[in-house]
Amino acid sequence: NAGVTQTPKFQVLKTGQSMTLQCAQDMNHNSMYWYRQDPGMGLRLIYYSASEGTTDKGEVPNGYNVSRLNKREFSLRLESAAPSQTSVYFCASSDGTATEAFFGQGTRLTVV
Amino acid sequence: GESVGLHLPTLSVQEGDNSIINCAYSNSASDYFIWYKQESGKGPQFIIDIRSNMDKRQGQRVTVLLNKTVKHLSLQIAATQPGDSAVYFCAENPTDKLIFGTGTRLQVFP
């Protein structure tokens, strides 16, 4: 039982490069989330998807786009990476509102 | 706006003592709250949750208290152990998203 799987685990980008962070869950959950966590800080919600086919902005959506490819997969895209996007990115999924969210192990992204 | 905050950024306790981690939330629409534990280099892990129709919920060595009047949440850890050392986050669920607080680092010393 893999739970929530994120790829890659580590990535270094140059300023201006683009990349997509992948996330997949095998728990048949409706809701999926992308968070970023900066050093010594909490998790800030970037985007979320309450169900397949829908996506909504979270607290810090600027500079990111998402795609809910199907019920299992929710990807996060950086079109033009900036040093301010250096962070650890976590994907999570839950069965819906008012249920616990399960997290992946994170993607450590450095933009130089 | 929606926000969840914590009173203490770092809490140091002696092994065997009880720990209390506090959290304030601001969104009256929140009806579900969760405590997560995050160890270094890992993703957050669920500890315990509570719904707004409850004041208290107990798990194994952990208790969550909810005071809706003052919008306050606390996590109590009984007989704190070295393995409890981590960062603890509270989170609230005002709509269909989960909003996290800043976190409290719990340090357990012998």
Side-chain angles (χ1 to χ4, degrees):
Chain A
N1 185 0
V4 179
T5 303
Q6 293 181 232
T7 55
K9 288 186 169 54
F10 301 94
Q11 183 71 50
V12 178
L13 290 178
K14 293 182 179 179
T15 298
Q17 285 186 316
S18 62
M19 80 158 296
T20 300
L21 281 64
Q22 306 287 352
C23 175
Q25 51 92 8
D26 62 1
M27 296 172 280
N28 201 36
H29 284 166
N30 290 313
S31 299
M32 296 187 74
Y33 313 85
W34 275 106
Y35 291 90
R36 62 176 286 174
Q37 185 175 32
D38 299 322
M41 296 184 68
L43 290 85
R44 291 184 291 171
L45 182 64
I46 305 171
Y47 271 93
Y48 66 103
S49 171
S51 62
E52 185 179 354
T54 68
T55 61
D56 286 285
K57 294 179 180 179
E59 302 167 281
V60 289
N62 291 344
Y64 305 96
N65 285 301
V66 290
S67 295
R68 184 72 183 267
L69 304 170
N70 47 57
K71 193 170 186 180
R72 288 188 65 247
E73 299 172 288
F74 188 39
S75 63
L76 178 72
R77 183 161 177 83
L78 286 71
E79 291 291 352
S80 179
S84 62
Q85 294 179 305
T86 294
S87 190
V88 180
Y89 291 83
F90 287 101
C91 177
S93 72
S94 71
D95 203 23
T97 304
T99 60
E100 67 173 286
F102 295 82
F103 284 79
Q105 289 300 296
T107 296
R108 186 173 297 275
L109 176 67
T110 302
V111 183
V112 297
Chain B
E2 299 165 341
S3 66
V4 177
L6 294 172
H7 297 307
L8 298 173
T10 303
L11 177 65
S12 296
V13 299
Q14 190 165 23
E15 182 178 356
D17 286 351
N18 296 333
S19 302
I20 300 176
I21 300 172
N22 296 303
C23 175
Y25 66 94
S26 61
N27 196 316
S28 300
S30 295
D31 58 3
Y32 179 64
F33 305 87
I34 311 176
W35 281 101
Y36 282 91
K37 174 185 181 182
Q38 187 179 28
E39 296 175 310
S40 182
K42 298 183 178 180
Q45 290 182 295
F46 171 87
I47 301 173
I48 191 167
D49 58 2
I50 188 167
R51 299 183 189 279
S52 60
N53 61 353
M54 302 173 68
D55 297 321
K56 179 179 179 179
R57 189 162 189 226
Q58 288 184 291
Q60 188 176 13
R61 279 201 308 118
V62 295
T63 300
V64 55
L65 299 177
L66 176 63
N67 185 331
K68 295 180 286 295
T69 302
V70 295
K71 298 195 183 96
H72 185 266
L73 195 68
S74 68
L75 176 71
Q76 299 178 1
I77 304 174
T80 311
Q81 302 170 0
D84 295 326
S85 294
V87 178
Y88 290 80
F89 295 96
C90 63
E92 62 176 328
N93 189 190
T95 52
D96 49 7
K97 54 189 175 185
L98 202 57
I99 303 297
F100 280 76
T102 306
T104 293
R105 180 174 300 279
L106 177 64
Q107 297 178 327
V108 183
F109 57 92

